[in-house]
Amino acid sequence: MIFRDTLPPFPAPLADGMQVQVYGRVTVFEARGQYQLSVEILQSRGLGLLQAKFEALKRKLEAEGLFESERKRPLPKFPRRIGIITSPSGAAIQDMLNILRRRAPGVEVLINPVRVQGTGAALEIATAIHELSAPNESWKALDVLVIARGGGSIEDLWEFNEEIVARAISHAA
């Protein structure tokens, strides 16, 4: 059982089948001989572990200097050539293309389709970053490279937090 005033708001509505981790007190409702769990802490399953993994990787890459401001290049005010790395069938690419057609019709767009979730997606994303960040006979240098996907849970978005993606971005910059 969860009392309304005990917990901060949960980020998503609880639903059947959702996996969560709880901490609380177990008591016995003697009148019916039933056990009760009075929940005091509630979080998505794996959220704590994933957050700890993310923070550890962030500290490691920070110590190596990957996030230093002098490594970052300024964004062009009016990019002429944009590379987009995303799912070819997701809503994110349609939204970006619609906005670009309306607001910047003269901009050239090069799309490198990748999977954006699931095992192996991080490698596809990193490979696409390497491919698009190096101009060749097929395409000229890009002004901006966008890596995108729509929303999702931390688990759905996790492939973007993998070390291989961070290093690919670092080498492309």
Side-chain angles (χ1 to χ4, degrees):
M1 66 186 173
I2 302 172
F3 293 104
R4 210 177 288 259
D5 61 343
T6 306
L7 298 174
F10 197 64
L14 293 176
D16 288 342
M18 180 181 277
Q19 294 185 3
V20 295
Q21 293 175 322
V22 298
Y23 171 83
R25 291 177 291 111
V26 176
T27 57
V28 178
F29 185 57
E30 292 182 29
R32 291 191 200 141
Q34 293 177 324
Y35 289 96
Q36 298 178 138
L37 174 63
S38 297
V39 177
E40 297 171 5
I41 298 173
L42 173 70
Q43 66 183 26
S44 294
R45 181 172 177 246
L47 184 60
L49 179 61
L50 288 177
Q51 189 64 39
K53 185 177 173 184
F54 174 76
E55 294 298 332
L57 178 59
K58 185 177 167 187
R59 283 190 301 274
K60 175 184 174 181
L61 298 177
E62 253 174 351
E64 293 179 25
L66 263 67
F67 304 138
E68 297 294 326
S69 58
E70 54 269 2
R71 293 181 53 93
K72 298 177 183 179
R73 291 185 294 182
L75 291 173
K77 191 167 186 150
F78 299 106
R80 303 300 307 153
R81 297 183 45 75
I82 299 174
I84 301 176
I85 298 170
T86 192
S87 168
S89 60
I93 188 64
Q94 295 308 314
D95 290 345
M96 287 186 282
L97 292 174
N98 286 335
I99 290 169
L100 285 169
R101 271 188 227 113
R102 283 193 333 256
R103 295 186 180 177
V107 170
E108 292 180 55
V109 178
L110 181 62
I111 301 170
N112 193 326
V114 297
R115 287 181 299 137
V116 292
Q117 73 181 60
T119 305
L123 180 58
E124 285 185 32
I125 294 165
T127 301
I129 293 168
H130 289 302
E131 289 172 355
L132 292 185
S133 64
N136 60 41
E137 63 278 349
S138 299
W139 62 83
K140 297 180 275 185
L142 299 169
D143 299 321
V144 175
L145 188 56
V146 177
I147 308 160
R149 76 156 277 155
S153 69
I154 190 170
E155 293 87 357
D156 290 342
L157 297 167
W158 189 256
E159 293 296 305
F160 290 84
N161 291 335
E162 292 291 348
E163 184 171 353
I164 191 170
V165 174
R167 292 199 181 278
I169 292 168
S170 172
H171 287 101

